[in-house]
């Protein structure tokens, strides 16, 4: 008997609805529905709660192969959350460009001023600069919030958006002869790549 069938049987043996069981296990009714339909497995912590609530050993609740699947999924989830959190924090850090003197005056990059103090460039170019930085920061804030609010479905899209914004930032700032701002964006991009490789790659080892 598969885990989803065992869970249904245990729940019905206590005459509980999915919503009632969800309250006992401190999870959502959607989670119970997902587990019972075979569309996923609970976390290790949830398995312990299920085992405790029904007074049954985990080994009797789920087979060893399924436990391996659960453990691997938790590692993947941890990696995704960690990458999203770091990437989001790096994007938020880009906001420092709004306050530090990192912009050259026209062709003169040895003398730098803050973004809002620039007077030698057209207003629309300055607007583009502010827009790129603001979008990067907002994307970072959204990325951090998805982790805090446990909304993993948004993580991938925000990660991709963050990478694209980093690339756009490098291209725009270097093209407009703003090497310091371009360097900040390039450093952020490199750090994101480093975090992804270091965190993700070991978890994908066979």
């Amino acid at each position: 008997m598969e885990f989803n069938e065992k869970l249904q049987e245990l729940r019905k043996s206590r005459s509980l609805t999915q919503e009632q069981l969800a309250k006992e296990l401190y999870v959502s009714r959607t989670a119970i529905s997902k587990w019972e339909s075979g569309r996923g497995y609970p976390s290790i912590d949830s398995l312990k709660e299920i085992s405790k609530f029904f007074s049954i050993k985990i080994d009797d609740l789920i087979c060893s192969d399924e436990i391996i699947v659960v453990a691997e999924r938790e590692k993947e989830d941890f990696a995704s959350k960690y990458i999203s959190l770091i990437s989001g924090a790096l994007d938020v850090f880009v906001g420092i460009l709004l306050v530090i003197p990192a912009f050259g005056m026209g062709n003169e990059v040895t003398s730098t001023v803050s973004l809002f103090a620039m007077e030698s460039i057209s207003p629309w170019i300055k607007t583009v600069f502010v827009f790129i930085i603001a979008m990067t920061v907002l994307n970072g804030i959204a990325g951090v919030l998805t982790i805090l609010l446990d909304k993993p479905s948004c993580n991938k899209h925000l990660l991709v958006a963050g990478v694209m914004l980093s690339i756009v930032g490098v291209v725009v700032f270097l093209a407009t002869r703003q090497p310091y701002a371009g360097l900040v964006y390039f450093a952020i991009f490199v750090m994101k790549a480093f975090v992804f490789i270091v965190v993700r790659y070991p978890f994908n080892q066979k």
Side-chain angles (χ1 to χ4, degrees):
M1 185 181 294
E2 298 294 328
F3 167 76
N4 62 310
E5 297 173 322
K6 292 178 182 178
L7 183 59
Q8 287 184 56
E9 187 177 274
L10 288 168
R11 176 176 61 80
K12 291 177 180 179
S13 70
R14 295 281 187 92
S15 299
L16 296 171
T17 64
Q18 289 185 341
E19 186 173 355
Q20 289 172 329
L21 179 58
K23 289 181 179 179
E24 294 291 341
L25 299 178
Y26 304 103
V27 297
S28 66
R29 190 202 63 78
T30 303
I32 300 296
S33 176
K34 181 179 179 180
W35 300 341
E36 290 192 353
S37 63
R39 291 181 289 113
Y41 294 99
S43 65
I44 297 297
D45 288 338
S46 292
L47 281 173
K48 290 178 180 178
E49 289 296 324
I50 295 170
S51 172
K52 180 179 178 181
F53 180 75
F54 290 110
S55 300
I56 183 174
K57 294 180 180 179
I58 292 181
D59 290 343
D60 295 330
L61 184 64
I62 186 170
C63 69
S64 57
D65 289 341
E66 290 175 315
I67 291 177
I68 292 174
V69 171
V70 171
E72 289 181 347
R73 191 201 65 188
E74 284 202 343
K75 287 182 179 180
E76 291 289 334
D77 288 345
F78 173 80
S80 295
K81 289 180 179 180
Y82 189 82
I83 292 170
S84 295
L85 186 61
I86 297 300
S87 296
L90 289 172
D91 283 343
V92 173
F93 176 78
V94 169
I96 195 174
L97 290 175
L98 293 173
V99 295
I100 65 170
F103 295 87
M105 299 292 289
N107 295 328
E108 183 62 44
V109 296
T110 56
S111 178
T112 58
V113 295
S114 65
L115 176 57
F116 297 106
M118 295 179 71
E119 299 178 351
S120 59
I121 62 172
S122 63
W124 76 267
I125 293 180
K126 185 185 292 188
T127 300
V128 170
F129 289 173
V130 173
F131 178 77
I132 293 173
I133 296 172
M135 288 300 296
T136 304
V137 172
L138 289 174
N139 187 77
I141 293 173
V144 173
L145 287 177
T146 59
I147 300 302
L148 298 179
L149 299 177
D150 195 22
K151 301 291 184 181
S153 59
C154 302
N155 288 350
K156 183 177 180 180
H157 302 295
L158 292 171
L159 282 172
V160 172
V163 170
M164 295 303 297
L165 285 167
S166 294
I167 295 173
V168 169
V170 172
V171 173
V172 169
F173 287 120
L174 292 183
T176 53
R177 298 183 179 181
Q178 299 297 333
Y180 301 137
L183 182 61
V184 169
Y185 265 90
F186 181 72
I188 295 298
F189 177 79
V190 170
M191 284 188 281
K192 287 179 181 179
F194 177 78
V195 169
F196 181 85
I197 293 172
V198 170
V199 175
R200 195 78 179 187
Y201 182 72
F203 291 155
N204 289 334
Q205 292 291 318
K206 298 293 184 181

